[in-house]
Amino acid sequence: MTIHGMRWLAESEWYYSVTFARGISSEELAVRLGATAGRVNPPATAEEAVALLSDPDVGVARIGEAQGWAFAAEYGEARGNRHDVLRHIARDGVEAVNLDPQPFHPPPLFSYAADGELLCSFGLGEERRRWGSQPDLLQEDLRTAGIILPTGDCLQVSGERYSLRIAMSLGVIEKRFGLALPRDLLEHDRLPLVVLSGRPALDSLGSDA
């Protein structure tokens, strides 16, 4: 399996929230996101997961692991982008990162929590405005990458260069935390599916649930 980092998200039709956790398995991450422990569903492609979203209350995730981090790609009603849920995932010494595309209200958002505390969060492309108990956690990384300029302002671009700008920010996060997503799996193959909320029609996946 080839790992492509995660900057490719900016070049794709990124529409799903991604939650990462280090220190727990992907199954435990799913449980902390709201899945029922021990519940096994057929694996699903991204298209099959989206097809389950017939109700606005439905939330499902496809889970896996890469480079020492568990990950959950959340479709529909996402939970990992809520800071209270991210703090819950990050309890007992676990680290957690959420990347949310915010397709209806840009910019995409980054959030990082550890040991039950939200440490740093900001919008990609709006890194000057940061919050959390350690808002400057990535400041030097952002300066080194040329995202925060010597003036203290953020690098601004527009139009067709916007996705490249978002990719720069994703690159900083990727490098700082050692994160990666297997693009081929996320976009084309099947991954284990978990239900986080609602009652999706899993019979379409061949499940008897």
Side-chain angles (χ1 to χ4, degrees):
M1 178 179 62
T2 301
I3 302 296
H4 297 277
M6 60 182 194
R7 281 169 281 189
W8 62 268
L9 286 170
E11 305 165 3
S12 67
E13 295 182 4
W14 180 22
Y15 58 91
Y16 48 87
S17 178
V18 186
T19 302
F20 300 86
R22 182 159 59 185
I24 55 176
S25 67
S26 57
E27 291 80 9
E28 176 61 21
L29 170 59
V31 170
R32 294 189 184 194
L33 281 167
T36 300
R39 184 71 170 269
V40 178
N41 301 305
T45 64
E47 291 78 9
E48 289 168 338
V50 171
L52 297 171
L53 308 179
S54 58
D55 187 300
D57 293 331
V58 170
V60 299
R62 298 163 67 225
I63 61 174
E65 298 184 12
Q67 293 191 183
W69 289 80
F71 67 81
E74 301 178 66
Y75 306 84
E77 181 65 24
R79 294 188 172 188
N81 60 8
R82 290 169 38 187
H83 287 165
D84 60 329
V85 174
L86 200 66
R87 290 194 298 267
H88 171 71
I89 294 169
R91 70 185 190 276
D92 301 326
V94 171
E95 294 178 87
V97 170
N98 177 263
L99 296 171
D100 192 276
Q102 295 284 306
F104 303 111
H105 190 266
L109 292 179
F110 154 79
S111 299
Y112 170 65
D115 206 16
E117 182 178 3
L118 178 70
L119 299 182
C120 184
S121 185
F122 54 77
L124 306 186
E126 297 182 2
E127 292 85 358
R128 187 174 181 180
R129 179 175 177 266
R130 305 183 297 270
W131 55 95
S133 62
Q134 296 182 32
D136 295 336
L137 184 67
L138 273 68
Q139 180 163 309
E140 290 308 311
D141 304 77
L142 294 166
R143 287 186 187 278
T144 300
I147 291 172
I148 295 182
L149 304 176
T151 61
D153 297 320
C154 286
L155 177 66
Q156 299 293 323
V157 301
S158 59
E160 62 185 25
R161 295 180 60 84
Y162 179 73
S163 64
L164 296 175
R165 173 67 175 81
I166 298 303
M168 288 177 65
S169 298
L170 288 172
V172 168
I173 297 163
E174 171 189 313
K175 182 177 180 180
R176 175 62 184 263
F177 298 104
L179 292 168
L181 278 174
R183 183 171 188 171
D184 290 343
L185 279 180
L186 265 293
E187 292 195 333
H188 305 298
D189 295 335
R190 284 184 165 81
L191 284 168
L193 180 85
V194 296
V195 176
L196 304 180
S197 61
R199 299 178 62 86
L202 295 175
D203 55 316
S204 63
L205 299 175
S207 170
D208 59 0

